Amino acid sequence: MPAQIYHLISFLVAAVVVLWTTPDVKNIGIKSGKVDQPGGRKVHQRPMVRLGGVSIFAGTITSLLVVWWLGGFSGLPPEKEWQIWGVTLGGFGFFLIGLADDLLNLSPLARLVMQVIVASCAWKAGVSIDFITVPAMGIVYLYWLSLPITVIWLVGMVNAINWIDGLDGLAAGVSGIAAVVMLVVALFMNQPAAALIAAAIAGAALGFLRYNFNPAQIFMGDGGAYFMGFTLAAVGVIGLVKIPAFTAVLLPYLILAVPIVDMSAVILARLRHGKSPFSADKRHLHHRLLNAGLSHRWTVLFIYCLTLWVGSLALAVAGIPSGITYACIATSLLSFAIWRVWKLSR
């Protein structure tokens, strides 16, 4: 069977499972009363089930199990097998933390401690940033710095995706676009195992949009956001960062630039005003666009365009054939979106 067929199967199985299970998860959430009430900084106007992460997790894991059964992960060296286990079990751990927060409302400190523990276990399994490639210097090994840098990256991306999950379809769409770009780049970089996981995440995220795009019928909750954030960050590590090339090291940060920049800007703004970095407010990009007069849908679509644009830049930087053409097309689309946003905000 051609290797690309496994990636198509991974994408389709994840999407089908999510499409099939999400209505059942929604009904279970309604019957059990596990809903997110409107009010405060939230933009939804009615109680919403926030257990969609269960479907996303189920779709991704089912997809990977099917591909493994078909032989898609066969022939991997032991080191790569450990990395795949690290991504899978680490994703399971972060999903459980998020699900516990959805059901029990954990404190920020408890969440952070558990996130650091799970990220450290993933590092031990091989999901680790061991070196960086510096122009004119070559490979610089991190040694003992590998653990804190890896943990900061993994935990940071988990919370970046969670924080951007403020509008219907926003986190799912951004994660889906990023996963598709990561899939293409990983295949080009000859990292088929990492590409299989990216394909599963892409199928799960884009399948979930059927029920999560505005007007949403269900939210992914912290369980879904934590799982997708960790998995995207971990795939970036095992599929791209471990390649000894300067451009490869930069790619995960470029592909995920939108949630990274959004989180960084919010944290800096909170610190500048003397507030805790974890205090909730309305400083995120989607809040600012809404305040500028954009509709819910146009805000989400504009951030999709931003994500697609940085993803196209990643394709060009990776040296993918026609990558520059894709970047030019995405730049034209973003330019139109900016013009439209400017016109609507006026």
Side-chain angles (χ1 to χ4, degrees):
M1 185 184 297
Q4 290 77 9
I5 297 298
Y6 290 119
H7 298 88
L8 179 60
I9 292 172
S10 180
F11 179 91
L12 292 177
V13 170
V16 169
V17 171
V18 170
L19 289 169
W20 179 38
T21 59
T22 300
D24 293 330
V25 171
K26 176 187 173 184
N27 292 333
I28 292 172
I30 292 173
K31 291 178 181 178
S32 62
K34 302 299 181 182
V35 295
D36 190 21
Q37 299 293 340
R41 57 191 288 272
K42 301 170 184 176
V43 298
H44 59 280
Q45 304 298 319
R46 56 190 175 89
M48 296 287 293
V49 175
R50 50 176 298 154
L51 298 177
V54 174
S55 296
I56 293 173
F57 175 76
T60 305
I61 295 301
T62 302
S63 171
L64 295 179
L65 287 174
V66 169
V67 170
W68 173 78
W69 177 70
L70 292 173
F73 288 104
S74 61
L76 291 177
E79 178 186 353
K80 279 291 182 182
E81 287 186 359
W82 272 108
Q83 292 173 9
I84 299 302
W85 278 110
V87 175
T88 306
L89 296 178
F92 178 57
F94 272 98
F95 167 70
L96 289 180
I97 296 171
L99 184 62
D101 190 37
D102 290 329
L103 298 175
L104 305 175
N105 215 2
L106 303 176
S107 69
L109 180 59
R111 292 199 304 266
L112 182 60
V113 169
M114 288 188 284
Q115 289 172 6
V116 170
I117 291 173
V118 175
S120 300
C121 293
W123 171 84
K124 185 67 176 177
V127 186
S128 56
I129 302 174
D130 300 315
F131 58 83
I132 57 174
T133 305
V134 181
M137 291 181 61
I139 297 176
V140 178
Y141 288 94
L142 299 176
Y143 300 107
W144 64 271
L145 286 174
S146 172
L147 175 58
I149 289 176
T150 302
V151 169
I152 290 172
W153 165 248
L154 296 176
V155 172
M157 275 313 308
V158 163
N159 288 285
I161 296 297
N162 189 43
W163 285 10
I164 207 173
D165 186 26
L167 296 179
D168 296 354
L170 184 54
V174 168
S175 298
I177 294 170
V180 170
V181 174
M182 206 165 282
L183 163 64
V184 174
V185 173
L187 285 174
F188 181 73
M189 295 289 186
N190 196 27
Q191 300 291 322
L196 284 170
I197 302 176
I201 280 289
L206 298 178
F208 187 68
L209 278 180
R210 162 67 179 80
Y211 305 100
N212 186 235
F213 192 72
N214 181 258
Q217 303 175 40
I218 186 173
F219 293 160
M220 71 171 63
D222 288 352
Y226 283 13
F227 174 70
M228 288 203 298
F230 169 81
T231 308
L232 285 171
V235 168
V237 170
I238 69 169
L240 302 176
V241 174
K242 288 185 178 293
I243 299 174
F246 177 66
T247 54
V249 173
L250 289 178
L251 291 176
Y253 312 104
L254 186 56
I255 294 170
L256 297 167
V258 171
I260 290 173
V261 172
D262 179 67
M263 182 180 70
S264 302
V266 168
I267 289 176
L268 290 175
R270 289 171 182 172
L271 292 175
R272 192 168 60 248
H273 289 83
K275 295 183 178 180
S276 166
F278 302 104
S279 61
D281 55 30
K282 290 191 174 184
R283 300 180 189 273
H284 291 283
L285 175 61
H286 52 272
H287 290 133
R288 296 178 184 275
L289 290 173
L290 288 173
N291 292 336
L294 266 67
S295 67
H296 192 126
R297 285 196 173 190
W298 257 107
T299 298
V300 172
L301 291 174
F302 178 73
I303 298 177
Y304 284 178
C305 289
L306 274 177
T307 307
L308 189 61
W309 178 65
V310 294
S312 71
L313 294 182
L315 297 180
V317 170
I320 290 175
S322 303
I324 295 178
T325 302
Y326 299 144
C328 291
I329 294 172
T331 301
S332 300
L333 178 62
L334 179 62
S335 300
F336 170 77
I338 291 173
W339 171 79
R340 187 65 178 167
V341 164
W342 174 77
K343 195 170 183 180
L344 289 172
S345 64
R346 293 189 63 191

